[in-house]
Amino acid sequence: MPAPSPGPGRPPVPPSAPEVPPSPEPPAAPSPPAASSPGRTPPADASDGSTAPEPPSGPASPPVSAPGPVPAYPPGPGRPADPPSVSEASPARHPATEASRPDDRAAAPETNPSAPDAPTPTLPGRPPPSGPTAAPAYGDWTPAAPSDGEPADASPASRLGPLPPPLPSRVHVGTRPPTYDAEPTALPAADPDDLDALVPDTVLDGARYGACTLRAVSVRGDSARYRGEPRRDALLTARFGSGERALVLVALATGTRTAPGAHLAAAEVCRWIAAAVGRSHERLAADIRAARRTDLKAGLHRLTDRGLGKLRAAATEQGLDPDDYAASMRCLLLSGDPECRTRVFFGVGPGGLFRLREHEWQDIEPEVAEVKGDPVLGFGSAPHETPDGDRLTMDLGIPTPPSPYEPAPGPLREPFRFRASVARPGDVLLMCGTGFAEPLSGEPGLRAHLADRWSGPEPPGLTAYLADTQVRVKGYADDRTAVAVWEA
């Protein structure tokens, strides 16, 4: 019997759940309906809001009515084609991606009945997203739906812009670049029997303890790089103890310019001072935390005199002039206690001690106090009068013969320098040798450049700090050694 074609006034029979196309074999015998009147099953009325029952799971069988099978209507204008059959091996669909049933489509007004429903992309082996945050899946990452009041095209890049890059370091400051090359040219001569005397061109170190961040560098000067001479500056960093009782020592020394073994003397005095501080680090750390300035000054003065005395004794043992085998020395002590902000500086000889506070450089090099009291052998100057009260008003330049009963006075020594200062958050303390202190004091462009570079919220890294300390200034070609401490 041919299938009746739909006519005007007759509602179309909606297609049931996915079905298998009719087989040429005769259909199975119909089962009697349980609660329906004999005759053809009427289609569901869209006006009463009822929905068809859920189709049974598993393979679908051809729908059968009481009088006989109802064949599927051929597709026509305004009517979608019948859905394809579903095999038994097909996985169950997720409710969010399953197409609406015929009753649901009939209940909702159709704005464009000829347009098929757009399928939702799914991932193999994974249920598709559902709910209000459902969005197309992109690989293993699914973007979340925008929140209320947020534009749909907003992205993290538009909400949070990139941080501004740090200011670049400069190659040189001043009107003209220096004459020497910016990179090393010649290596120092080496002795195959004394390879321990070799020193590297550059030494770089850093650490973070307590409330401070440490950066230390020592670079061979342009003049020594050109002539193949060793670096005369020595740098040593050491930590003694642990925890809040830790004590950090940074020592730098500069050997005599014209002495052949000046770099050896500078390294030796740094090691001796470090050994003396290490043996007394517990007492020194306690004095720093308690701010015992008088005890610190007296104790460190004794340690410094002992270290320089050993250096002069070593020169005598080697048959060298003590003036040639000598070095100036500067040290910095830092406590590992985060609550302690006392920074102790001590040393002997020229150099520089600066502080960068609120983008302004301050010269805090301790002044040499006037020597009072009786002169000490090897230190100070000659008395202004004789023991009998006769004042010496004229020096005729006649050498005085040495007395057989008194030793000859030694050379004048550099006075001891000491300073204990309390740091503030954001301060930068800079201790340096003469090779870096002189251009920093004499060239305003270098001070302004370093103030811009070192006034940021974070201290520079090791490579950035090395580049900052290598900014060249014409007329200054000595070794550069600089130790900087950033306060958190």
Side-chain angles (χ1 to χ4, degrees):
M1 178 178 178
S5 59
R10 181 173 181 176
V13 178
S16 61
E19 57 188 12
V20 179
S23 175
E25 299 179 359
S31 57
S36 61
S37 60
R40 184 182 181 134
T41 303
D45 191 2
S47 61
D48 59 358
S50 61
T51 57
E54 294 287 342
S57 60
S61 60
V64 180
S65 62
V70 180
Y73 294 103
R79 180 184 182 88
D82 294 334
S85 61
V86 181
S87 62
E88 294 181 2
S90 300
R93 292 190 176 184
H94 195 275
T97 58
E98 183 177 0
S100 301
R101 292 188 293 271
D103 299 286
D104 298 336
R105 288 198 300 265
E110 295 183 359
T111 57
N112 187 9
S114 62
D117 297 337
T120 302
T122 59
L123 296 177
R126 179 180 303 178
S130 62
T133 60
Y138 303 91
D140 292 337
W141 173 77
T142 301
S147 59
D148 296 338
E150 182 181 356
D153 58 347
S155 61
S158 62
R159 293 192 299 266
L160 179 61
L163 295 177
L167 296 175
S169 186
R170 302 175 62 178
V171 178
H172 70 89
V173 293
T175 57
R176 293 180 300 170
T179 306
Y180 295 104
D181 293 336
E183 299 298 332
T185 303
L187 290 173
D191 184 358
D193 298 329
D194 191 14
L195 296 179
D196 294 338
L198 295 177
V199 293
D201 178 89
T202 303
V203 176
L204 183 63
D205 205 352
R208 177 175 295 178
Y209 283 97
C212 61
T213 300
L214 173 67
R215 297 288 183 263
V217 66
S218 182
V219 183
R220 188 164 56 135
D222 294 342
S223 176
R225 284 177 168 181
Y226 177 78
R227 292 180 171 84
E229 299 175 353
R231 175 170 49 89
R232 295 183 296 110
D233 284 3
L235 176 66
L236 185 145
T237 56
R239 173 182 61 87
F240 305 102
S242 60
E244 296 182 354
R245 297 185 178 182
L247 183 65
V248 178
L249 166 70
V250 187
L252 65 89
T254 303
T256 307
R257 181 185 296 272
T258 58
H263 62 290
L264 300 177
E268 196 168 5
V269 71
C270 285
R271 289 193 296 266
W272 280 335
I273 289 295
V277 170
R279 297 186 188 99
S280 306
H281 75 276
E282 294 181 357
R283 176 65 181 274
L284 290 173
D287 290 343
I288 292 176
R289 292 197 304 271
R292 302 188 187 100
R293 185 180 183 278
T294 303
D295 296 342
L296 285 170
K297 184 176 182 179
L300 294 174
H301 196 173
R302 289 192 299 268
L303 295 181
T304 304
D305 285 345
R306 291 174 186 173
L308 296 178
K310 288 184 177 181
L311 189 63
R312 290 190 295 271
T316 303
E317 292 175 358
Q318 300 176 22
L320 302 175
D321 188 352
D323 293 340
D324 294 338
Y325 199 76
S328 61
M329 179 198 64
R330 308 173 77 80
C331 301
L332 193 63
L333 293 177
L334 308 173
S335 174
D337 188 355
E339 302 298 329
C340 179
R341 291 188 178 271
T342 302
R343 311 299 178 223
V344 177
F345 159 81
F346 68 97
V348 171
L353 185 66
F354 304 91
R355 178 170 58 201
L356 179 61
R357 174 174 291 177
E358 298 179 356
H359 211 272
E360 295 292 336
W361 284 105
Q362 303 173 0
D363 189 351
I364 59 173
E365 176 77 10
E367 297 180 358
V368 179
E370 183 182 355
V371 179
K372 299 180 181 180
D374 295 336
V376 180
L377 181 63
F379 179 80
S381 58
H384 296 285
E385 59 184 15
T386 63
D388 298 335
D390 297 333
R391 299 183 62 85
L392 302 177
T393 59
M394 183 179 295
D395 185 6
L396 301 178
I398 301 175
T400 304
S403 173
Y405 306 103
E406 297 180 1
L412 297 179
R413 303 180 189 176
E414 290 285 347
F416 177 74
R417 301 172 186 266
F418 174 88
R419 186 182 184 92
S421 59
V422 178
R424 299 179 185 176
D427 285 355
V428 181
L429 182 64
L430 176 64
M431 179 185 71
C432 52
T434 56
F436 195 69
E438 291 178 354
L440 188 63
S441 301
E443 178 55 48
L446 181 60
R447 293 196 302 270
H449 174 68
L450 294 181
D452 293 337
R453 291 277 298 172
W454 293 355
S455 295
E458 293 292 333
L462 291 180
T463 55
Y465 180 72
L466 174 62
D468 293 340
T469 54
Q470 283 187 301
V471 176
R472 308 165 70 213
V473 181
K474 186 174 180 61
Y476 302 95
D478 289 342
D479 299 345
R480 291 188 175 188
T481 303
V483 178
V485 178
W486 275 261
E487 300 292 339

